[in-house]
Amino acid sequence: MQHPWWRSAVVYQVYPRSFVDSDGDGVGDLPGVISKVPYLAETLGVDAVWLSPFYPSPQADFGYDVADFCDVDPRFGSLADFDALVAACGTAGLAVIVDLVPNHTSDEHPWFVESRAARTSPRRDWYVWRDPAPDGGPPNNWLSVFGGPAWRLDDRTGQYYLHTFDPKQPDLNWRHPAVRAAMADVVRFWLDRGAAGFRIDVAHVIGKDPELADDPPATEGWGGVGAHLGDFAGLHHVHSLGHPDAHAWYRDLRAVLDEYDEAYSIGEIHEPDWPRLVAWLGDGDELHQVFDFSLLHAPWDADTIGDRIDAQESALPEWAWPNHVLGNHDEPRLATRIGSEAARVAAVLLLTTRGTPTIYQGDELGMVDADIPLEDQLDPQAGPGSYGRDSCRTPMPWSSGPHAGFSPPGTEATWLAVAADADRINVEAQLADDDSMLALYRRLLALRRSEPALRLGDQRRLVGLPEGVLGYERILDDDRLVVLASFVDEPADVTLEGRWSVAAATSGGLEGAIHDGNVPQPGQAAQVLRPA
């Protein structure tokens, strides 16, 4: 059966600032990414690369404050470098996914410079401007994700502008047809240059209540997602983001994507329940996928993880396709959250559950968060009571050499310090270790490529397993595999009818074993079984 390319793909997130620095300025760049295409396509074996923003930007939020949607920041290279990257990836069989930032621009973007120049500016209504409240304060109680009110008073015109994130990131007004047309042109620009699709940053945030009603208090927090964001978690954001009118705008955007062959979209959407999250797929005419963040802050136990995977499966329409996320550039590292051994089990789950997995750069090495004192953090989100994201964004360690191979020898300093454990947690060292985390990811990705049931098969959870063990089948036509994952220290025995061989496991020493009817399941381990 014909299926879109992204259904069977494994996506690898590249955070360009921290991937490879080719020119010695301490900042990663697109030529650096090009140099590692063989690593991504051959050594690791992924299918697509998602590039975090590389646009011209003052870097107030490290690229998510965009000053030009249709160019490359000189720190990262040029449009020619982007074209060369697309060409190199195409030759290697990798799709390139671009990070689209539709909710806001930089305050240095020409659109906003014109908008704030005067109340009569032709682009005034491209952004959200309002008069002060009667007491002179902000127009309502909406809060910024980065702390404080979501409004900044502009002395030149005496009005407030909306900024859901940093004050240097004013929100676009998607109710204005010209804004929607301009963003459609941005989408066409990158698709015309060979991009395969878009990861859409905070996709739901473009929808705001036109009446600017106050957000009510959050009686039970922000659904687990964003609970680490301080005061922002204290409101239920039913008016400041996710307004239903945005669904029509995404249907229009989908029509633009459909002008191209299998162009793809996946939304970063933080909604507190599955029905609201799945709604952004529309009737198959809005986003192609939405990220599932429900596992990021879930208690790491078999029942919870299994139930949350099942919840996504149950909520999705029959025609939709799942997605699972265990790490990205905004969250504490996977191995930091759940521990190094559990992170190996998580790798098996990520790459064997039904759906399109996304790997955040460095998670395939088991990288952990760097210890960066608050006063040294560069992230605008960092502050008392709020998680600073620098710790999960340190440079990718390629070797035990100078700057861990991220920057050339002689580079004065890297934009963030290389992690202290980079001498042992790096690509070079782990390629030489058959039982390293990288070796595990390589084995799992190779198995996934060889087993259609893992890429495209149905999924059925196993019942009656020992406590602390999660199990499920992957089935496609006559192909069947079983995955067993233990979340506890105690070993157990799992009864499975028939003979089974271990095709992949968290420890290479388990692989190749044959079991007849009774499968020993070690504690804190996972294994993928195929009929023997």
Side-chain angles (χ1 to χ4, degrees), residues 165-471:
F165 297 90
D166 191 82
K168 292 185 70 61
Q169 294 170 288
D171 284 24
L172 286 161
N173 174 22
W174 269 75
R175 297 188 178 279
H176 199 300
V179 170
R180 301 197 297 273
M183 294 307 296
D185 287 344
V186 170
V187 166
R188 292 187 180 97
F189 178 87
W190 293 109
L191 292 175
D192 287 342
R193 299 195 87 93
F198 300 90
R199 176 266 188 185
I200 303 180
D201 183 60
V202 292
H204 58 318
V205 180
I206 66 172
K208 281 98 172 174
D209 175 26
E211 303 301 322
L212 302 183
D214 281 356
D215 280 331
T219 55
E220 298 180 359
W222 183 227
V225 177
H228 57 292
L229 295 179
D231 291 344
F232 186 79
L235 292 179
H236 190 38
H237 303 276
V238 294
H239 300 303
S240 55
L241 52 85
H243 191 276
D245 288 352
H247 290 290
W249 307 335
Y250 279 114
R251 285 194 293 272
D252 291 343
L253 187 63
R254 176 62 175 269
V256 175
L257 292 168
D258 288 346
E259 296 171 6
Y260 296 79
D261 185 27
E262 290 195 336
Y264 167 67
S265 60
I266 183 167
E268 180 202 17
I269 297 175
H270 297 279
E271 291 279 21
D273 58 67
W274 266 107
R276 287 178 58 181
L277 186 61
V278 170
W280 296 98
L281 303 175
D283 293 321
D285 57 355
E286 293 184 38
L287 300 174
H288 292 86
Q289 283 192 302
V290 291
F291 283 117
D292 171 22
F293 297 117
S294 68
L295 302 183
L296 280 172
H297 301 287
W300 193 251
D301 63 74
D303 288 341
T304 300
I305 298 302
D307 289 349
R308 294 199 177 189
I309 292 172
D310 288 349
Q312 178 178 195
E313 290 282 354
S314 298
L316 287 173
E318 184 179 353
W319 47 262
W321 193 246
N323 167 275
H324 296 296
V325 175
L326 291 176
N328 62 34
H329 64 295
D330 287 331
E331 302 291 342
R333 285 272 184 188
L334 174 62
T336 295
R337 297 196 314 270
I338 63 176
S340 296
E341 286 305 307
R344 297 176 76 92
V345 175
V348 175
L349 297 178
L350 179 66
L351 293 172
T352 63
T353 48
R354 192 176 84 106
T356 304
T358 303
I359 301 170
Y360 176 47
Q361 68 177 51
D363 278 356
E364 78 272 24
L365 305 177
M367 287 181 69
V368 297
D369 283 359
D371 184 12
I372 304 176
L374 180 60
E375 61 270 18
D376 293 336
Q377 295 208 24
L378 305 177
D379 180 16
Q381 183 176 302
S386 181
Y387 171 71
R389 299 166 294 178
D390 289 350
S391 296
C392 70
R393 298 176 173 180
T394 53
M396 181 77 172
W398 296 99
S399 71
S400 57
H403 307 298
F406 165 73
S407 286
T411 301
E412 184 174 343
T414 55
W415 81 278
L416 283 176
V418 172
D421 56 8
D423 59 331
R424 59 182 182 84
I425 298 183
N426 64 68
V427 171
E428 183 180 68
Q430 293 201 12
L431 284 175
D433 179 359
D434 290 340
D435 209 30
S436 66
M437 183 73 86
L438 179 57
L440 171 61
Y441 270 85
R442 295 181 69 197
R443 296 197 305 272
L444 290 168
L445 286 161
L447 180 65
R448 184 183 172 94
R449 288 194 300 274
S450 68
E451 293 285 355
L454 288 181
R455 298 195 307 275
L456 295 166
D458 294 330
Q459 182 167 300
R460 183 176 69 87
R461 187 171 176 181
L462 301 180
V463 297
L465 299 182
E467 184 176 356
V469 177
L470 172 65

Side-chain angles (χ1 to χ4, degrees), residues 501-523:
S501 67
V502 180
T506 45
S507 172
L510 299 173
E511 296 176 358
I514 304 292
H515 304 292
D516 193 351
N518 183 69
V519 179
Q521 176 62 36

Side-chain angles (χ1 to χ4, degrees), residues 82-162:
F82 177 84
D83 294 341
L85 175 58
V86 169
C89 285
T91 299
L94 298 174
V96 175
I97 299 168
V98 173
D99 210 320
L100 183 68
V101 187
N103 179 68
H104 46 264
T105 70
S106 166
D107 63 349
E108 297 181 27
H109 194 294
W111 297 347
F112 188 72
V113 171
E114 183 177 343
S115 178
R116 80 188 309 179
R119 293 196 184 198
T120 57
S121 166
R123 284 201 170 102
R124 184 67 169 186
D125 290 338
W126 282 41
Y127 295 83
V128 183
W129 293 93
R130 291 295 185 274
D131 289 330
D135 64 359
N140 63 20
N141 74 339
W142 294 358
L143 295 176
S144 164
V145 175
F146 290 174
W151 297 93
R152 172 61 63 93
L153 181 63
D154 186 67
D155 292 334
R156 278 171 281 193
T157 59
Q159 285 189 314
Y160 283 88
Y161 66 84
L162 180 66

